[in-house]
Amino acid sequence: MAKYDLYPEIKVNQYSGAWRGYPRIVEEIKKNIRKEKTIIAVESYIGVHNEEIKTNLVDALQPELEIFADDLAFDGDVITEMVKRNLTDDRVFGVMSHQTLDKFYDKGSLYQAGMQIEQAKGLVVIYGTGASLIAEADILIYADLARWECQCRYRAGGTNWKVSNEEEDPLKKNKRGYFFEWRICDRLKDNLYPKIDFLLDTNVPDDPKMISGDDYRYGLSQAVEQPFRLVPYFDASVWGGQWMKEKFQLDPDADNFGWAFDGVPEENSLYLRYGDVRVEVPALNLVHQFPNELLGPRVHSRFGKEFPIRFDFLDTMEGGNLSLQVHPLTEYIQDKFGMHYTQDESYYILDAGEDAAVYLGVKDNIKLNDMVEDLKKAQEKSEYQFPDEKYVNRFPAKKHDHFLIPAGTVHCGGSNVVVLEISATPYIFTFKLWDWGRIGLDGRPRPVHIEHGKENILLERSTEWVKENLINQIQDISENSVHKEERTGLHELEFIETRRHWLKETIELETKGSVNVLNLIEGDAALVESTDGSFEPYEVHYGETFMIPAKLGKYKITPLENETETFLGIIQAYVR
């Protein structure tokens, strides 16, 4: 069987140069200093190791004047007060910030820095978050960082911007990043995009990579001209399983892997290959810079510069149940968190054990107050187990079943299933109702949000309604001897359409004016090809999620199977 590719790359076919390691990077920057007084700004995404940049890059340039931009910002207590409404007192949820980075700098300090720069006669280097705000740079270097790496640094003791919170709960650090820090950085990055002279990849400590701004922009433009995959990452969970270890060749000594993110541009990265240098950039950069080409004008006009479809894996093989949960209704997520759409989703069962099940919807004729009281009792008293069988339906699950989960539906994946989760992107807004009495991997109780949850549980999503509307709502679209197309969902209240294709020979598909997200759900490998020769053939393997930019219009998929009698399975998702 062809192996799941853990390191998918986009090979950039035209570039001027790429540099790895600080000595080569410094040498290249020096070549671009063409006048005695030159201002270099190294703008850092929050989370970048600025001490590393100072020691290895700034000091190596030997500037006449060196300014650390972070020192000109307000201190952490002032910033925290300024964004208090966004951070809230909750451990997980905040409210989206609409502020800009410049609002967090002291005007007096900026003025003094400007005077110092004006008086300098030689090389001036400004570095850190906000460096580009201090002065107009002759050379602008953007030091970028992936979201997943930000989160890993939080867990390892890294701090948020301007605060000393090494020992703070990583969930709270992540909340501050998600609702505030990443938002202000992304807004500035978008504004700087056409001005960037060099892009600096800082994801691996002490192993930087650099490309020119023109080559960076060209690399992104090439990505929307072809199929591509995001860089996957995998994470353990209290309910995590063992299936992905074998199927995706992961660390066999790890306790478990519960999560796999390989189709979430908000979280994942892109690998851009420039000769012998591989550069990692946040996939969100592509969404922000080429929304019409990637998403399609219709989807872009509806969602803005947001990628609305998410694919990820949940592995509970030899593990435990997911948490019992519900996602917020649209008006609730808008009112409480500043999001304009919610997390409708579905569970596509990629694999299942004999006892596999999915919890979905509530039992007929239950009372919400009774359910909430039992949820609270279970949360407060460790000896009390929530009687899930009294309130929640449990349906058997088998391979290739599809369970639809519009917001407001109580749900939970059971043990011994592998779920391909197909959903809308606001992934962070999950209200856990009951977590089977477990402690998180960090030793802390897992966050439960019964008060939020009770406002969003729809009692009409009950047993018979769920059976009739949410389980295997599969409709035949077309069928011949070599290809069968089925509509598998999602529910009419959800904006994502999913089509399942069984094929033995080449088929042609259309993007239908939307970005397409696909996964190879059965079979060894397939070849994705252009109908007009506009992109090179692209090979995908079992379990891999891949993207087809909307602008490609049409594309072909051909099975690469050893046995010609075997049908290949593909699931395709797009915005209706």
Side-chain angles (χ1 to χ4, degrees):
M1 174 179 279
K3 291 184 178 181
Y4 180 98
D5 187 358
L6 296 169
Y7 308 100
E9 299 177 341
I10 296 171
K11 185 178 179 180
V12 181
N13 55 33
Q14 178 181 312
Y15 64 97
S16 58
W19 305 273
R20 180 176 182 179
Y22 282 109
R24 292 189 65 197
I25 287 171
V26 170
E27 180 182 356
E28 180 61 27
I29 293 172
K30 286 181 175 179
K31 290 179 183 177
N32 286 269
I33 299 174
R34 297 188 174 91
K35 57 183 181 179
E36 183 176 357
K37 182 171 182 178
T38 297
I39 301 173
I40 297 176
V42 184
E43 179 66 55
S44 294
Y45 203 86
I46 290 174
V48 168
H49 288 158
N50 288 306
E51 301 85 354
E52 177 188 313
I53 289 178
K54 171 180 166 47
T55 301
N56 296 285
L57 195 158
V58 179
D59 291 352
L61 290 171
Q62 298 181 312
E64 174 192 330
L65 176 62
E66 170 188 315
I67 296 174
F68 182 39
D70 295 55
D71 287 342
L72 309 185
F74 298 128
D75 66 35
D77 290 341
V78 173
I79 292 174
T80 299
E81 185 63 28
M82 291 174 69
V83 297
K84 185 176 180 180
R85 178 180 177 275
N86 301 102
L87 298 181
T88 73
D89 294 327
D90 191 274
R91 186 180 172 194
V92 176
F93 303 123
V95 178
M96 286 293 185
S97 170
H98 293 89
Q99 293 157 306
T100 53
L101 185 63
D102 59 291
K103 304 302 181 185
F104 299 92
Y105 289 81
D106 179 75
K107 290 184 179 180
S109 297
L110 290 175
Y111 176 79
Q112 292 177 3
M115 293 297 294
Q116 289 179 292
I117 293 168
E118 186 176 336
Q119 294 168 9
K121 301 187 183 302
L123 178 63
V124 177
V125 177
I126 314 165
Y127 72 103
T129 300
S132 62
L133 303 175
I134 312 304
E136 188 70 29
D138 299 298
I139 300 174
L140 174 59
I141 303 169
Y142 194 92
D144 214 348
L145 190 67
R147 293 277 177 86
W148 175 235
E149 178 59 24
C150 287
Q151 294 174 67
C152 290
R153 293 183 182 188
Y154 293 152
R155 295 180 186 181
T159 66
N160 290 102
W161 188 46
K162 298 288 291 184
V163 292
S164 299
N165 62 341
E166 293 89 347
E167 302 301 321
E168 189 174 37
D169 180 356
L171 287 178
K172 290 186 177 180
K173 295 181 188 179
N174 190 65
K175 179 184 72 169
R176 190 172 179 122
Y178 181 87
F179 287 97
F180 165 51
E181 294 172 349
W182 301 345
R183 306 301 155 185
I184 59 174
C185 282
D186 287 341
R187 290 189 185 98
L188 179 62
K189 190 196 313 187
D190 283 355
N191 290 335
L192 295 177
Y193 175 77
K195 304 176 184 179
I196 294 172
D197 296 300
F198 293 99
L199 190 285
L200 188 65
D201 167 9
T202 69
N203 287 285
V204 181
D206 298 311
D207 187 13
K209 296 91 177 176
M210 190 178 78
I211 51 175
S212 74
D214 287 340
D215 289 344
Y216 163 58
R217 287 181 282 270
Y218 178 78
L220 291 186
S221 71
Q222 185 182 318
V224 294
E225 299 288 341
Q226 62 185 61
F228 64 89
R229 288 186 59 225
L230 306 180
V231 181
Y233 70 83
F234 305 86
D235 202 12
S237 176
V238 293
W239 40 259
Q242 305 299 314
W243 187 89
M244 290 190 294
K245 282 188 191 181
E246 176 188 352
K247 298 294 184 181
F248 299 160
Q249 302 88 48
L250 305 180
D251 181 3
D253 296 324
D255 288 340
N256 72 67
F257 290 98
W259 296 94
F261 287 80
D262 72 343
V264 190
E266 178 88 29
E267 288 277 300
N268 292 113
S269 300
L270 290 171
Y271 281 149
L272 302 176
R273 167 66 66 176
Y274 296 84
D276 60 355
V277 177
R278 185 177 73 194
V279 175
E280 180 177 0
V281 298
L284 200 58
N285 296 4
L286 183 66
V287 181
H288 284 185
Q289 300 309 323
F290 293 94
N292 280 331
E293 295 85 348
L294 177 62
L295 304 177
R298 173 173 55 81
V299 178
H300 176 205
S301 68
R302 182 174 177 183
F303 293 95
K305 293 182 178 181
E306 292 189 18
F307 197 95
I309 304 172
R310 179 186 87 168
F311 275 32
D312 62 84
F313 289 109
L314 309 171
D315 178 2
T316 68
M317 282 290 193
E318 302 177 45
N321 294 339
L322 302 177
S323 60
L324 189 66
Q325 58 193 245
V326 67
H327 296 301
L329 301 170
T330 301
E331 58 267 27
Y332 195 88
I333 202 170
Q334 290 174 342
D335 183 53
K336 300 295 183 183
F337 308 113
M339 298 292 293
H340 58 283
Y341 65 105
T342 192
Q343 186 171 323
D344 294 310
E345 65 182 22
S346 69
Y347 285 173
Y348 188 90
I349 308 302
L350 199 65
D351 208 346
E354 290 184 3
D355 59 344
V358 167
Y359 297 78
L360 189 62
V362 295
K363 294 286 183 69
D364 293 330
N365 302 315
I366 69 161
K367 295 182 179 179
L368 181 59
N369 287 342
D370 292 345
M371 182 178 177
V372 170
E373 286 304 310
D374 274 336
L375 286 168
K376 290 180 177 179
K377 185 176 178 181
Q379 182 67 10
E380 295 165 0
K381 298 181 180 180
S382 59
E383 71 278 5
Y384 183 75
Q385 295 290 305
F386 174 69
D388 58 277
E389 70 285 350
K390 178 180 176 181
Y391 295 105
V392 183
N393 302 307
R394 184 179 186 272
F395 298 102
K398 63 183 185 301
K399 188 174 183 177
H400 295 307
D401 281 346
H402 201 176
F403 296 86
L404 314 180
I405 314 172
T409 309
V410 174
H411 63 282
C412 171
S415 61
N416 290 323
V417 294
V418 180
V419 169
L420 172 61
E421 190 174 41
I422 302 173
S423 76
T425 300
Y427 65 97
I428 201 172
F429 299 97
T430 297
F431 300 146
K432 294 184 182 70
L433 304 171
W434 166 240
D435 199 43
W436 315 96
R438 295 178 295 212
I439 298 295
L441 294 179
D442 58 3
R444 297 179 171 95
R446 300 244 293 163
V448 173
H449 290 90
I450 297 171
E451 292 302 317
H452 282 307
K454 73 178 184 181
E455 300 298 325
N456 292 276
I457 295 172
L458 295 180
L459 295 184
E460 56 265 37
R461 307 278 169 82
S462 57
T463 308
E464 290 307 312
W465 190 91
V466 168
K467 288 178 181 179
E468 293 174 4
N469 292 274
L470 301 185
I471 301 176
N472 287 333
Q473 300 298 299
I474 296 171
Q475 303 170 9
D476 291 341
I477 302 298
S478 64
E479 183 174 7
N480 56 41
S481 61
V482 296
H483 176 216
K484 181 178 183 180
E485 180 179 0
E486 302 164 306
R487 180 182 184 275
T488 72
L490 298 189
H491 187 264
E492 64 180 9
L493 297 180
E494 304 180 69
F495 62 78
I496 297 172
E497 177 78 2
T498 53
R499 297 291 178 95
R500 185 168 61 188
H501 301 272
W502 301 105
L503 57 148
K504 287 199 293 185
E505 296 181 4
T506 299
I507 63 170
E508 183 176 300
L509 298 178
E510 295 184 2
T511 61
K512 300 181 187 296
S514 164
V515 63
N516 282 199
V517 185
L518 304 97
N519 189 282
L520 184 54
I521 56 174
E522 189 71 55
D524 188 16
L527 199 64
V528 185
E529 298 175 282
S530 171
T531 59
D532 60 6
S534 60
F535 61 80
E536 293 294 319
Y538 188 79
E539 186 171 321
V540 295
H541 311 115
Y542 176 68
E544 292 181 350
T545 295
F546 57 102
M547 314 288 183
I548 305 292
K551 72 168 296 185
L552 298 186
K554 296 180 180 181
Y555 56 99
K556 298 185 294 184
I557 298 181
T558 302
L560 295 177
E561 289 283 353
N562 294 325
E563 300 179 16
T564 57
E565 294 303 312
T566 302
F567 275 85
L568 191 90
I570 295 274
I571 196 158
Q572 171 197 23
Y574 53 89
V575 177
R576 290 175 184 151

